Coordinates of all heavy atoms in Angstrom, one line a residue:
I15 N 166.8 8.1 137.0 CA 167.4 9.4 137.3 C 168.6 9.6 136.3 O 168.7 10.7 135.7 CB 167.9 9.4 138.8 CG1 166.8 9.5 139.8 CG2 168.9 10.6 139.0 CD1 167.2 9.3 141.2
I16 N 169.3 8.5 136.1 CA 170.5 8.7 135.2 C 169.9 8.9 133.8 O 170.5 9.7 133.0 CB 171.4 7.4 135.2 CG1 172.1 7.4 136.6 CG2 172.4 7.4 134.1 CD1 172.9 6.2 136.9
S17 N 168.9 8.2 133.4 CA 168.3 8.3 132.1 C 167.7 9.7 131.9 O 167.9 10.3 130.8 CB 167.2 7.3 131.9 OG 166.6 7.4 130.6
A18 N 167.1 10.3 132.9 CA 166.5 11.6 132.8 C 167.7 12.6 132.6 O 167.6 13.6 131.8 CB 165.7 11.9 134.0
R19 N 168.7 12.4 133.4 CA 169.9 13.2 133.3 C 170.6 13.2 131.9 O 170.9 14.2 131.4 CB 170.9 12.9 134.4 CG 172.1 13.6 134.5 CD 171.9 15.0 135.0 NE 173.2 15.7 135.0 CZ 173.3 16.8 135.6 NH1 172.3 17.4 136.2 NH2 174.5 17.4 135.5
L20 N 170.7 11.9 131.4 CA 171.3 11.7 130.1 C 170.5 12.4 129.0 O 171.0 13.0 128.1 CB 171.5 10.3 129.8 CG 172.7 9.6 130.6 CD1 172.7 8.1 130.3 CD2 174.0 10.2 130.2
N21 N 169.2 12.2 129.1 CA 168.2 12.9 128.2 C 168.4 14.4 128.2 O 168.3 15.0 127.2 CB 166.8 12.4 128.4 CG 166.5 11.0 128.0 OD1 167.3 10.4 127.2 ND2 165.5 10.4 128.6
K22 N 168.5 14.9 129.4 CA 168.6 16.4 129.6 C 169.9 16.8 128.9 O 170.0 17.8 128.2 CB 168.6 16.7 131.0 CG 168.5 18.2 131.3 CD 168.4 18.4 132.8 CE 168.4 19.9 133.1 NZ 168.3 20.1 134.6
E23 N 171.0 16.1 129.2 CA 172.3 16.4 128.6 C 172.3 16.3 127.1 O 172.9 17.0 126.4 CB 173.4 15.6 129.2 CG 173.7 16.0 130.7 CD 174.2 17.4 130.8 OE1 175.0 17.9 130.0 OE2 173.7 18.1 131.8
A24 N 171.6 15.2 126.6 CA 171.5 15.0 125.2 C 170.8 16.1 124.5 O 171.1 16.6 123.4 CB 170.8 13.6 124.9
A25 N 169.7 16.6 125.2 CA 168.9 17.7 124.6 C 169.8 19.0 124.6 O 169.8 19.7 123.6 CB 167.7 18.0 125.5
K26 N 170.6 19.2 125.6 CA 171.5 20.4 125.6 C 172.5 20.2 124.5 O 172.8 21.2 123.8 CB 172.3 20.4 127.0 CG 171.5 21.1 128.1 CD 172.5 21.2 129.3 CE 171.8 21.7 130.5 NZ 172.7 21.8 131.7
R27 N 173.1 19.0 124.4 CA 174.1 18.7 123.3 C 173.4 18.9 122.0 O 174.0 19.5 121.1 CB 174.6 17.3 123.5 CG 175.7 17.0 122.5 CD 176.2 15.7 122.6 NE 177.2 15.5 121.5 CZ 178.3 14.8 121.6 NH1 178.6 14.2 122.8 NH2 179.0 14.6 120.6
S28 N 172.2 18.4 121.8 CA 171.5 18.6 120.5 C 171.3 20.1 120.2 O 171.5 20.5 119.1 CB 170.2 17.8 120.5 OG 169.5 18.1 119.4
S29 N 170.9 20.8 121.2 CA 170.7 22.3 121.1 C 172.0 23.0 120.7 O 172.0 23.8 119.8 CB 170.1 22.8 122.4 OG 170.0 24.2 122.3
L30 N 173.1 22.5 121.4 CA 174.4 23.1 121.1 C 174.8 22.8 119.7 O 175.4 23.6 119.0 CB 175.4 22.7 122.1 CG 175.3 23.3 123.5 CD1 176.3 22.6 124.5 CD2 175.5 24.8 123.5
E31 N 174.6 21.5 119.3 CA 175.0 21.1 117.9 C 174.1 21.9 116.9 O 174.7 22.3 115.8 CB 174.8 19.6 117.7 CG 175.8 18.8 118.5 CD 175.6 17.3 118.4 OE1 174.5 16.9 117.9 OE2 176.4 16.6 118.8
E32 N 172.9 22.1 117.2 CA 172.0 22.9 116.3 C 172.5 24.4 116.2 O 172.6 25.0 115.1 CB 170.6 22.9 116.7 CG 169.9 21.6 116.5 CD 168.5 21.6 117.1 OE1 168.0 22.6 117.6 OE2 167.8 20.5 117.1
D33 N 172.9 24.9 117.4 CA 173.4 26.3 117.4 C 174.7 26.3 116.6 O 175.0 27.3 115.9 CB 173.6 26.7 118.9 CG 172.4 27.1 119.6 OD1 171.3 27.2 118.9 OD2 172.4 27.2 120.8
N34 N 175.6 25.3 116.8 CA 176.9 25.3 116.1 C 176.6 25.2 114.6 O 177.3 25.9 113.9 CB 177.7 24.1 116.7 CG 179.1 24.1 116.1 OD1 179.7 25.2 115.9 ND2 179.7 22.9 115.9
A35 N 175.7 24.4 114.2 CA 175.4 24.2 112.8 C 174.9 25.5 112.2 O 175.3 26.0 111.1 CB 174.4 23.1 112.5
R36 N 174.0 26.2 113.0 CA 173.5 27.5 112.5 C 174.6 28.5 112.4 O 174.7 29.3 111.5 CB 172.4 27.9 113.5 CG 171.7 29.2 113.1 CD 170.7 29.7 114.2 NE 171.2 29.7 115.5 CZ 172.0 30.7 116.0 NH1 172.3 31.7 115.2 NH2 172.4 30.7 117.3
L37 N 175.5 28.5 113.4 CA 176.6 29.5 113.4 C 177.6 29.2 112.2 O 178.1 30.1 111.6 CB 177.4 29.5 114.7 CG 176.6 30.1 115.9 CD1 177.4 29.9 117.2 CD2 176.3 31.6 115.7
V38 N 177.8 27.9 112.0 CA 178.7 27.6 110.8 C 178.1 28.0 109.5 O 178.7 28.6 108.6 CB 179.0 26.0 110.8 CG1 179.6 25.6 109.5 CG2 179.9 25.6 112.0
E39 N 176.8 27.8 109.4 CA 176.0 28.3 108.2 C 176.1 29.8 108.1 O 176.3 30.4 107.0 CB 174.6 27.8 108.3 CG 173.9 27.6 107.0 CD 172.5 27.0 107.2 OE1 172.4 25.8 107.5 OE2 171.5 27.8 107.1
E40 N 175.8 30.5 109.2 CA 175.9 31.9 109.2 C 177.3 32.5 108.9 O 177.4 33.4 108.1 CB 175.4 32.5 110.6 CG 175.1 33.9 110.6 CD 174.6 34.4 112.0 OE1 173.8 33.6 112.6 OE2 174.9 35.5 112.4
L41 N 178.3 31.8 109.4 CA 179.7 32.2 109.1 C 179.9 32.0 107.6 O 180.5 32.9 107.0 CB 180.6 31.4 109.9 CG 182.1 31.6 109.7 CD1 182.5 33.1 110.0 CD2 183.0 30.7 110.5
A42 N 179.5 30.9 107.0 CA 179.7 30.7 105.6 C 179.0 31.8 104.8 O 179.5 32.3 103.8 CB 179.1 29.3 105.2
E43 N 177.8 32.2 105.2 CA 177.1 33.3 104.5 C 177.8 34.6 104.6 O 178.0 35.3 103.6 CB 175.7 33.5 105.1 CG 174.7 32.4 104.8 CD 173.3 32.6 105.4 OE1 173.0 33.7 105.7 OE2 172.7 31.6 105.7
W44 N 178.4 34.9 105.8 CA 179.1 36.1 105.9 C 180.4 36.1 105.1 O 180.8 37.1 104.5 CB 179.5 36.4 107.4 CG 178.3 37.0 108.1 CD1 177.5 36.4 109.0 CD2 177.8 38.3 108.0 NE1 176.5 37.3 109.4 CE2 176.7 38.5 108.8 CE3 178.2 39.4 107.2 CZ2 176.0 39.7 108.9 CZ3 177.5 40.6 107.3 CH2 176.4 40.7 108.1
K45 N 181.1 34.9 105.1 CA 182.3 34.8 104.3 C 181.9 35.0 102.8 O 182.7 35.7 102.1 CB 182.9 33.4 104.4 CG 183.7 33.2 105.7 CD 184.3 31.8 105.8 CE 185.1 31.7 107.1 NZ 185.7 30.3 107.1
K46 N 180.8 34.5 102.4 CA 180.4 34.7 101.0 C 180.1 36.1 100.7 O 180.6 36.7 99.7 CB 179.1 33.8 100.7 CG 178.6 33.9 99.3 CD 177.4 33.1 99.1 CE 176.9 33.3 97.6 NZ 175.6 32.6 97.4
K47 N 179.4 36.8 101.6 CA 179.1 38.2 101.4 C 180.4 39.0 101.4 O 180.6 39.9 100.6 CB 178.2 38.7 102.6 CG 176.8 38.3 102.4 CD 175.9 38.8 103.6 CE 174.5 38.3 103.5 NZ 173.7 38.8 104.6
F48 N 181.3 38.7 102.3 CA 182.6 39.4 102.4 C 183.4 39.2 101.1 O 183.9 40.2 100.5 CB 183.5 38.9 103.6 CG 184.8 39.5 103.6 CD1 185.1 40.7 104.1 CD2 185.9 38.7 103.1 CE1 186.3 41.3 104.1 CE2 187.2 39.3 103.1 CZ 187.4 40.5 103.6
S49 N 183.4 38.0 100.6 CA 184.0 37.7 99.3 C 183.4 38.5 98.2 O 184.2 39.0 97.4 CB 183.9 36.2 99.1 OG 184.6 35.9 97.8
E50 N 182.1 38.6 98.2 CA 181.4 39.4 97.1 C 181.8 40.8 97.2 O 182.1 41.5 96.2 CB 179.9 39.2 97.2 CG 179.4 37.8 96.8 CD 178.0 37.6 97.1 OE1 177.3 38.5 97.7 OE2 177.5 36.5 96.8
V51 N 181.8 41.4 98.4 CA 182.1 42.8 98.6 C 183.6 43.0 98.3 O 183.9 44.0 97.6 CB 181.8 43.2 100.1 CG1 182.4 44.6 100.4 CG2 180.3 43.2 100.3
D52 N 184.4 42.1 98.7 CA 185.9 42.3 98.4 C 186.1 42.2 96.9 O 186.9 43.0 96.4 CB 186.6 41.1 99.1 CG 188.1 41.3 99.0 OD1 188.6 42.5 99.3 OD2 188.8 40.3 98.8
E53 N 185.4 41.3 96.3 CA 185.6 41.2 94.8 C 185.1 42.5 94.1 O 185.7 43.0 93.2 CB 184.8 40.0 94.3 CG 184.9 39.8 92.8 CD 184.1 38.5 92.4 OE1 184.2 37.5 93.1 OE2 183.4 38.6 91.4
Q54 N 183.9 43.0 94.6 CA 183.4 44.3 94.1 C 184.4 45.4 94.3 O 184.6 46.2 93.4 CB 182.0 44.6 94.7 CG 181.4 45.9 94.2 CD 181.0 45.8 92.7 OE1 180.6 44.7 92.3 NE2 181.1 46.8 92.0
L55 N 184.9 45.5 95.5 CA 185.9 46.6 95.8 C 187.1 46.4 94.9 O 187.6 47.4 94.4 CB 186.3 46.5 97.3 CG 185.2 47.0 98.3 CD1 185.7 46.8 99.7 CD2 184.9 48.5 98.0
N56 N 187.6 45.2 94.8 CA 188.8 45.0 93.9 C 188.5 45.4 92.5 O 189.3 46.0 91.8 CB 189.3 43.6 94.0 CG 190.0 43.3 95.3 OD1 190.5 44.2 95.9 ND2 190.0 42.0 95.7
S57 N 187.3 45.0 92.0 CA 187.0 45.3 90.6 C 186.8 46.9 90.5 O 187.2 47.5 89.5 CB 185.8 44.6 90.1 OG 184.6 45.0 90.7
D58 N 186.2 47.5 91.5 CA 186.0 48.9 91.5 C 187.4 49.6 91.6 O 187.7 50.6 90.9 CB 185.1 49.4 92.6 CG 183.7 49.2 92.3 OD1 183.3 48.8 91.2 OD2 182.9 49.3 93.3
G59 N 188.2 49.0 92.4 CA 189.6 49.5 92.6 C 190.4 49.5 91.3 O 191.0 50.4 90.9
V60 N 190.2 48.4 90.6 CA 190.9 48.3 89.3 C 190.3 49.3 88.3 O 191.1 50.0 87.6 CB 190.8 46.8 88.7 CG1 191.2 46.8 87.2 CG2 191.5 45.8 89.5
K61 N 189.0 49.4 88.3 CA 188.4 50.4 87.5 C 188.8 51.8 87.8 O 189.2 52.6 87.0 CB 186.8 50.3 87.7 CG 186.0 51.3 86.9 CD 184.6 51.1 87.2 CE 183.8 52.3 86.9 NZ 182.4 52.2 87.4
H62 N 188.9 52.1 89.1 CA 189.3 53.4 89.6 C 190.8 53.6 89.4 O 191.2 54.7 89.1 CB 188.9 53.6 91.0 CG 187.4 53.7 91.3 ND1 186.6 54.6 90.6 CD2 186.6 53.0 92.1 CE1 185.4 54.5 91.0 NE2 185.3 53.5 91.9
Q63 N 191.5 52.5 89.5 CA 193.0 52.6 89.2 C 193.2 53.1 87.8 O 194.1 53.9 87.5 CB 193.7 51.3 89.5 CG 195.2 51.4 89.4 CD 195.8 52.4 90.4 OE1 195.4 52.4 91.6 NE2 196.7 53.2 90.0
G64 N 192.4 52.5 86.9 CA 192.5 53.0 85.5 C 192.2 54.4 85.3 O 192.9 55.2 84.6

Side-chain angles (χ1 to χ4, degrees):
I15 292 172
I16 291 174
S17 178
R19 178 74 182 190
L20 287 175
N21 287 338
K22 187 176 179 183
E23 290 299 317
K26 280 184 183 179
R27 182 179 175 145
S28 175
S29 175
L30 289 174
E31 286 176 353
E32 287 174 5
D33 287 348
N34 189 32
R36 182 182 53 78
L37 290 173
V38 166
E39 205 174 286
E40 192 175 324
L41 178 62
E43 287 177 27
W44 279 107
K45 284 182 177 180
K46 182 180 177 185
K47 286 180 183 178
F48 175 79
S49 178
E50 290 170 357
V51 169
D52 189 45
E53 185 178 313
Q54 180 67 34
L55 287 174
N56 285 336
S57 69
D58 284 350
V60 168
K61 177 181 156 189
H62 293 304
Q63 186 61 43

